[in-house]
Amino acid sequence: MAKTGLTGGKVPRVTRARKGAFDAAKQEAFLAELAATCNVSLAAKRAGVTTGCVYEHKARDAAFRARWADALAEAYRNLELMMLERAMNGTVKTVTKHDGTIDRTHEYPNAIALTLLRLHRDSAAAADDVPDEEDAEALRAEIARRIERIRQMRRQK
């Protein structure tokens, strides 16, 4: 007996799972690989389906689309952490000289480091910018004023 389920796209509808289709196990395998590699083609291949199949499923299934987006977000976070680690610790470059001796040096990708610093400058500054008690009290008062203004606008409607 074929399983049925709701899928969402523009209009939710009931679908029947075909034998060998993009079932839950294949979806999990695809999403796990997508989160690890950020590569749709590779993830589809490892899940045993075509890229057309996953893109078609993404177009029809809202929940799958959301999980796809989550997998990509995880992949990008992992990539950013890897690049940050590389920028901070460098990579070992091995060079074999003409006389056969081996020279190892660390290379630091400064362009990547500068880009990461620029991208996170504002969030880092915000994390360090802890308001003192006087600023916090002024902020609470401003929030209370805004809430009261919203209440008054609602009463007038």
Side-chain angles (χ1 to χ4, degrees), residues 21 45 48 52 86 150:
K45 185 176 181 179
R86 188 175 295 168
I150 291 169

Side-chain angles (χ1 to χ4, degrees), residues 1-126:
M1 185 166 155
K3 290 185 176 182
T4 61
L6 276 180
T7 60
K10 293 181 180 169
V11 177
R13 62 186 183 274
V14 175
T15 59
R16 294 192 185 281
R18 296 175 306 230
K19 185 177 181 182
F22 194 41
D23 60 17
K26 288 181 181 181
Q27 289 178 35
E28 291 303 317
F30 170 79
L31 292 168
E33 190 66 25
L34 184 62
T37 65
C38 202
N39 184 323
V40 174
S41 298
L42 180 61
K45 185 176 181 179
R46 296 248 172 100
V49 295
T50 65
T51 55
C53 174
V54 295
Y55 280 113
E56 181 181 316
H57 197 75
K58 180 183 176 195
R60 289 186 289 119
D61 188 330
F64 183 72
R65 268 194 309 278
R67 294 182 64 214
W68 179 311
D70 289 344
L72 284 179
E74 180 179 340
Y76 275 94
R77 283 189 300 272
N78 291 338
L79 177 61
E80 185 178 45
L81 288 173
M82 181 183 71
M83 297 309 294
L84 181 61
E85 190 275 332
R86 188 175 295 168
M88 291 178 73
N89 300 317
T91 55
V92 176
K93 179 180 180 183
T94 304
V95 176
T96 304
K97 297 181 180 180
H98 292 295
D99 63 2
T101 60
I102 296 174
D103 188 22
R104 289 187 177 87
T105 60
H106 267 77
E107 287 187 337
Y108 295 89
N110 292 330
I112 292 171
L114 290 170
T115 300
L116 289 169
L117 285 171
R118 188 179 74 251
L119 290 171
H120 294 287
R121 182 180 321 148
D122 293 340
S123 60

